[in-house]
Amino acid sequence: MNQTVVAVRGLSRSFVGGEVIALQGIELEIAEREFVSLIGPSGCGKSTLLRVIGDLIEPTEGEIVVNGKSAHRARLDRDYGIVFQDAVLYDWRTVAKNIALPLEMAGWDRSRRARRVREMLELVELTGFEDRHPWQLSGGMQQRVSIARALSFDPALLLMDEPFGALDEMTRERLNMELLQIWDASGSTIVFVTHSIAEAVFLSTRVVVMSARPGRIVEVIDVDLPHPRTGATREEPRFFELVTRVREALHGGSGRANEVLRA
Amino acid sequence: MSRAALKKGAMLVAVLAVFCGLWEGFRAVGEAVGLRLGQFEPNDRTMPHIHEIIGQLFEPSRRNGPLLIDVLADAALFTAREAAAGFALGATIGFAIGIVLHHSRLLQRGLLPYIVASQTIPILAIAPMVVVWLKSGWISVAVIAAYLTFFPVTINTLRGLDSADPRALELMRSYAASRWAVLWKLKVPAALPYLFSAFKVSATASVVGAIVGELPSSIQDGLGGAILNFNQYYLSSPPSLWATNLVAASVGIAFFLIVVIAERLIVRKAPEHVA
């Protein structure tokens, strides 16, 4: 097995002085080069789990180890790239300057930044759009810019919070394909929050199914579909079997005990 | 020029024409029927003809003196310089106060009420004291103008810095960005539209502040001096004061337009957000 990138141990997180339990007893290990999806109903804490892993919020209990360090240390070391549902680009910056923003923070010099931006534009197939402003791009293109920005400093871990949730189905399927190519090319590990069962199965190496109140992991499903995945993957019987398994886990999951995960 | 710009220009001219028509029409009808509204009576003294006001600009300001428009242009430039210095001073201080208060909720809670209270003191009460402190001169006038300028800038800086998208802040956190970088690369650019709203209010206020500030400083070279002067001679020449007011208004409008142009050049936003 590959090296462990994320280890979540005994994690709980509550809000409003302990009254709302967003996450309870979460155990999860994610290995290098994995693509793990978190799926579950609203309120199951999947976005919270993503934010705790990324040290955007602190756990109430438990421990997060990222690349052998605390989540806090990992954030300061710039181990995370984050993509939200909205692209959250800076209107006042061009596409190229949006992608370069994390590099400015990391203190890269101008020529190194420019070189890296060119590579990233190529990766997300937006070469030629570097001098546009965000509002001149479609929603799908904006989201590709935000992925390029998140990957620009080559983070060990890419955290994506429903990145394609606001896009139409056609764009979403195309970007799913592109994301898999980017994942393959960049060699990063991805944690991906989604509402879509088909999207989770199509993209992932593993799907983590969660339930709400309190937010827990009910089942972890290995996705053994072969790589590279193509449009034809969505029509294979195995794809449908896995979609059915995830759906059943989602609907039946509320009563089951937590499953302790294999690495 | 675009169609929209032409339409806008035509609209401005039309409104001006309607206003002039109302002014002259009201006066003509009022005089014809002997209208009296309390102490007010339309006549040459209360409502000079518009052509007289404009014409007065091209009359000598005194016997064998320069044309009134030349005198007023000099005065306007003088006042504009004071107002610009006051605006720059007030905007800088206002912005700096906003930044400091943004970073300390404690200071904000402690100081903001006093900053608000400072604006309830009439400028006419502040001005003579500033002159006592700093001696009469253009610096005093600029400080008085700055007093009117800083407040809207402080309030809008505070609002603008808070307007940054919370997810953009989370992204900055994930880049391990310093406070300084978050401020200058995210919060201040996000605050620019708010800042420019404040600058528009402050730009015109700084002109008013400069004119008022000239009075206790006994400065004769600016528009404040001209207004005081022509006020004394109002009975013999009403159009002179009206013409002076017209020039003072033009300075305020010019300041406003400069801010609007600067905003167009600096604030990069999606077109649908541009007011």
Side-chain angles (χ1 to χ4, degrees):
Chain A
M1 201 72 208
N2 284 333
Q3 197 194 333
T4 301
V5 176
V6 181
V8 180
R9 297 194 192 104
L11 169 72
S12 294
R13 168 73 212 199
S14 50
F15 291 106
V16 207
E19 278 173 44
V20 180
I21 298 164
L23 291 171
Q24 193 174 55
I26 302 290
E27 304 277 340
L28 182 65
E29 288 207 359
I30 298 169
E32 199 178 352
R33 301 283 294 121
E34 266 204 286
F35 193 128
V36 173
S37 286
L38 310 178
I39 194 167
S42 301
C44 73
K46 52 194 188 296
S47 290
T48 306
L49 177 54
L50 195 80
R51 279 177 161 77
V52 175
I53 294 173
D55 190 41
L56 296 177
I57 47 184
E58 287 182 3
T60 310
E61 261 176 57
E63 183 191 31
I64 316 282
V65 180
V66 177
N67 283 338
K69 301 171 278 197
S70 70
H72 182 69
R73 187 68 246 163
R75 177 173 67 76
L76 296 183
D77 289 348
R78 303 189 174 92
D79 285 351
Y80 302 112
I82 297 179
V83 177
F84 291 115
Q85 179 167 348
D86 299 313
V88 198
L89 301 175
Y90 291 7
D91 274 347
W92 54 87
R93 282 176 170 246
T94 60
V95 166
K97 290 203 153 178
N98 265 289
I99 296 173
L101 179 70
L103 306 177
E104 289 173 26
M105 302 293 126
W108 291 30
D109 66 50
R110 189 181 292 271
S111 64
R112 200 166 155 226
R113 288 205 303 260
R115 209 165 36 235
R116 186 65 181 162
V117 167
R118 260 199 310 281
E119 288 169 20
M120 296 321 295
L121 284 166
E122 220 164 282
L123 183 70
V124 298
E125 293 175 2
L126 280 175
T127 304
F129 289 91
E130 45 269 60
D131 293 328
R132 302 288 185 89
H133 280 265
W135 73 80
Q136 298 169 309
L137 306 181
S138 69
M141 288 159 98
Q142 289 184 13
Q143 200 53 288
R144 267 149 54 195
V145 174
S146 102
I147 292 169
R149 178 182 58 188
L151 288 172
S152 64
F153 51 102
D154 206 10
L157 189 57
L158 185 58
L159 304 176
M160 306 182 87
D161 193 356
E162 294 187 53
F164 309 133
L167 303 175
D168 63 80
E169 195 63 29
M170 300 276 290
T171 311
R172 185 180 189 141
E173 288 194 358
R174 204 183 64 241
L175 286 184
N176 280 347
M177 294 293 301
E178 283 181 18
L179 179 59
L180 283 179
Q181 282 158 16
I182 290 168
W183 175 55
D184 196 48
S186 66
S188 53
T189 306
I190 298 181
V191 184
F192 189 96
V193 169
T194 180
H195 269 121
S196 160
I197 299 171
E199 185 176 63
V201 171
F202 180 74
L203 290 173
S204 311
T205 55
R206 278 193 300 160
V207 177
V208 175
V209 181
M210 299 178 70
S211 72
R213 279 173 295 276
R216 291 171 303 130
I217 294 175
V218 285
E219 201 173 336
V220 178
I221 296 165
D222 281 307
V223 178
D224 48 10
L225 295 166
H227 287 272
R229 293 176 188 169
T230 62
T233 306
R234 291 182 198 273
E235 283 149 28
E236 283 173 29
R238 184 66 188 145
F239 178 76
F240 290 110
E241 278 171 37
L242 286 162
V243 165
T244 306
R245 255 196 84 191
V246 172
R247 182 175 295 120
E248 281 171 359
L250 273 172
H251 293 301
S254 50
R256 291 193 201 170
N258 282 1
E259 190 178 338
V260 178
L261 306 176
R262 300 143 289 161
Chain B
M1 213 184 336
S2 72
R3 249 185 109 81
L6 274 174
K7 254 186 170 168
K8 208 171 155 187
M11 193 64 200
L12 277 175
V13 172
V15 169
L16 191 64
V18 167
F19 178 76
C20 292
L22 282 174
W23 177 275
E24 292 292 340
F26 178 76
R27 191 184 146 180
V29 173
E31 275 185 318
V33 302
L35 177 76
R36 257 192 100 98
L37 296 166
Q39 294 299 310
F40 179 78
E41 199 180 339
N43 56 33
D44 260 343
R45 191 166 57 78
T46 56
M47 295 179 77
H49 286 296
I50 285 163
H51 64 85
E52 281 174 1
I53 296 172
I54 306 288
Q56 190 70 31
L57 286 169
F58 301 98
E59 299 285 328
S61 56
R62 54 189 147 77
R63 204 181 302 273
N64 300 324
L67 294 184
L68 180 63
I69 191 163
D70 291 331
V71 173
L72 289 180
D74 285 345
L77 266 181
F78 185 87
T79 299
R81 251 196 308 260
E82 295 164 338
F87 174 77
L89 186 68
T92 308
I93 292 173
F95 180 67
I97 294 176
I99 298 262
V100 169
L101 295 192
H102 173 78
H103 285 98
S104 166
R105 299 284 149 178
L106 188 70
L107 271 182
Q108 193 177 129
R109 233 170 304 161
L111 283 182
L112 206 51
Y114 292 101
I115 291 172
V116 173
S118 78
Q119 296 300 300
T120 63
I121 305 170
I123 187 76
L124 277 172
I126 298 281
M129 286 189 285
V130 174
V131 173
V132 170
W133 294 332
L134 300 178
K135 300 285 176 278
S136 165
W138 71 269
I139 293 179
S140 307
V141 180
V143 167
I144 292 160
Y147 186 81
L148 281 187
T149 306
F150 90 96
F151 181 71
V153 178
T154 295
I155 296 299
N156 276 29
T157 301
L158 277 173
R159 280 194 50 197
L161 293 175
D162 278 335
S163 75
D165 187 328
R167 290 156 313 166
L169 286 166
E170 285 190 323
L171 285 176
M172 282 304 224
R173 196 172 144 85
S174 79
Y175 307 148
S178 64
R179 253 186 180 211
W180 189 251
V182 173
L183 180 65
W184 290 106
K185 301 222 183 243
L186 173 59
K187 287 182 175 177
V188 169
L192 279 180
Y194 292 83
L195 276 175
F196 273 97
S197 298
F199 290 162
K200 284 177 203 165
V201 176
S202 293
T204 45
S206 72
V207 176
V208 174
I211 289 172
V212 172
E214 285 172 8
L215 305 181
S217 315
S218 315
I219 288 178
Q220 296 297 322
D221 305 329
L223 285 174
I227 288 169
L228 211 59
N229 184 31
F230 291 123
N231 196 22
Q232 280 164 358
Y233 297 105
Y234 189 79
L235 282 182
S236 60
S237 172
S240 294
L241 185 62
W242 285 94
T244 308
N245 291 349
L246 213 58
V247 171
S250 309
V251 175
I253 292 168
F255 268 57
F256 182 83
L257 288 178
I258 289 169
V259 173
V260 169
I261 291 166
E263 182 180 30
R264 290 261 166 92
L265 292 177
I266 292 168
V267 180
R268 291 303 211 110
K269 289 206 81 184
E272 63 264 31
H273 298 314
V274 174

